[in-house]
Amino acid sequence: MVYPLLSALRQSFYTEGENVDPEGFVVEGDQFAGLANYTNAVVGEGAGRFWNAMFNTTFFTVTTVTLEALLGVAMALIMHRAFRGRGLVRASVLVPWAIPTAVSGLLWRWIFAPDGVANTMLGQQVLWSADGPQAQLAVIIAEVWKTAPFVGLLTLAGLQIIPNEVYEAAKVDGATAWRRFWNITLPLVKPALLVAVLFRMLDALRMFDLPFVLIGQQKHSVETLSMLAWQEATNVHYGPAAAYATIMFGYVALVAFAFVKLLGADVIGEARNRRREGRKARSKPGKAVTA
C-alpha cells in the first residue's frame, strides 16, 4: 500500500516528455515541476475540467448514497418481516450487488438504448447516452439499483440483533409504528447503517466503471475524478494523472475522516476504548474476601 501511494505522490511533482531548456537543448524524461501539476489542475488550463469532475463526483456521491440509504432501510424493514418466501426474497436481493459493475453497465446501456426498454415505457425518444442531465439520471438509476441492496442487507443485519421485547414494551406503552421506528429502530440500527453508508461513500467517490461503460468517456456531464485521472494517464500525462489521483485520495480520506468523527461511526475508537477500560480493570488490585 505504501509504495504505490508514495510513487504516485512523487510522480505528481514531475512532468514527462520532451522539453527545451533555457539554453535551447532538448531534454527528455521526467522533469521536476514542483506544484505545477496541482496549480494547473486547480487554477490553470485544466481547472475547468477538474472542477467539473469534482462537482460530478460529489453530486453522484451525495445523490446515490442518499437514495441508497433510504431504499436500503425500506428494503431491510420489508425483509425483516415474517412472510412466506422471505428467504427467496433475501437471496434475490443479492443479485444486483453480485453482478460485476461492468456487466451491470452493459445491461443498463441496453435498457437506455434509443430502442431500449426505458424509451419504450416512456413512449418517447430520450438520448440517454448523450451528454446532459439525462446521462446523469441514467448513471444514478443504475448505481442505486446495483448498490441499494448492499445497504439493505447490512441494515437487515442490524435489525436482527434488536430484541423483540423492546418493541413489545413500546407497544404496551402505546407507541405508534412511526414512534417505534424513530425512537427504537433507527437509533439501534444506526451503527450498521453508518458503516454501510460509509462504505458506499468511499465507493461512490471512486466511481469510474459504471459511467465509463454506460455513457462513455469524455462526457462532460458524467466525468468523475477517476475518469479524469485515467484519461490523463492514457494520454501519457502521468504527472497530471498522479496529481488528480492524489487529490482524489485526499478528498476521499477527508470525507471519511469527517464522516467518522461527526457521525460517530468510529468503530476502531470504540474498540480501543473498550480495550483501555479492560486493561484498567485488570490493573486494579483485587479486594480481599473474608469468610
Side-chain angles (χ1 to χ4, degrees):
M1 292 172 59
V2 174
Y3 174 76
L5 289 175
L6 295 180
S7 179
L9 181 62
R10 175 194 174 279
Q11 187 66 45
S12 67
F13 296 113
Y14 286 81
T15 58
E16 59 286 320
E18 294 184 353
N19 297 306
V20 179
D21 62 11
E23 298 179 358
F25 291 98
V26 176
V27 180
E28 296 183 355
D30 292 346
Q31 302 295 321
F32 183 74
L35 298 176
N37 291 326
Y38 293 95
T39 56
N40 181 66
V42 178
V43 296
E45 297 178 358
R49 193 176 179 188
F50 167 77
W51 289 113
N52 173 71
M54 177 70 79
F55 171 80
N56 289 338
T57 301
T58 307
F59 173 72
F60 284 138
T61 300
V62 173
T63 306
T64 57
V65 173
T66 300
L67 293 175
E68 289 161 9
L70 295 175
L71 292 176
V73 171
M75 293 167 63
L77 292 175
I78 293 174
M79 291 186 293
H80 188 58
R81 298 176 63 90
F83 58 90
R84 181 174 298 179
R86 182 175 63 174
L88 179 62
V89 172
R90 291 181 177 180
S92 62
V93 165
L94 279 173
V95 173
W97 175 250
I99 296 177
T101 306
V103 178
S104 177
L106 287 175
L107 293 175
W108 283 99
R109 187 173 182 176
W110 294 332
I111 292 174
F112 289 122
D115 57 347
V117 177
N119 285 342
T120 302
M121 294 178 63
L122 293 175
Q124 55 182 334
Q125 285 291 108
V126 179
L127 299 178
W128 297 96
S129 59
D131 206 357
Q134 71 278 5
Q136 294 179 334
L137 180 59
V139 171
I140 291 173
I141 293 174
E143 178 73 4
V144 171
W145 172 84
K146 176 174 174 54
T147 52
F150 171 77
V151 180
L153 290 172
L154 286 187
T155 306
L156 177 62
L159 286 174
Q160 291 178 334
I161 64 175
I162 301 177
N164 290 328
E165 292 79 5
V166 178
Y167 292 105
E168 296 297 332
K171 289 180 181 179
V172 172
D173 292 338
T176 62
W178 172 251
R179 296 280 296 180
R180 293 196 299 271
F181 170 76
W182 190 258
N183 294 327
I184 298 177
T185 303
L186 204 56
L188 294 180
V189 85
K190 178 184 175 182
L193 182 60
L194 287 180
V195 170
V197 172
L198 176 60
F199 285 169
R200 280 302 308 134
M201 286 180 62
L202 301 182
D203 232 8
L205 287 170
R206 303 190 305 267
M207 185 183 296
F208 172 82
D209 40 3
L210 183 62
F212 186 90
V213 176
L214 177 57
I215 306 300
Q217 57 180 312
Q218 295 185 350
K219 296 294 181 67
H220 185 268
S221 59
V222 298
E223 187 174 53
T224 62
L225 284 175
S226 296
M227 297 173 69
L228 180 57
W230 177 88
Q231 186 66 39
E232 290 295 318
T234 303
N235 294 331
V236 202
H237 299 155
Y238 297 119
Y244 290 135
T246 303
I247 294 174
M248 182 180 65
F249 172 77
Y251 185 33
V252 172
L254 180 62
V255 170
F257 179 80
F259 185 88
V260 167
K261 290 303 180 182
L262 294 179
L263 296 181
D266 193 359
V267 180
I268 297 177
E270 293 175 358
R272 187 184 299 113
N273 291 335
R274 288 196 295 269
R275 290 197 299 269
R276 187 181 297 113
E277 292 175 359
R279 287 195 297 268
K280 289 181 179 179
R282 290 193 297 269
S283 62
K284 290 181 179 180
K287 296 181 179 179
V289 180
T290 57

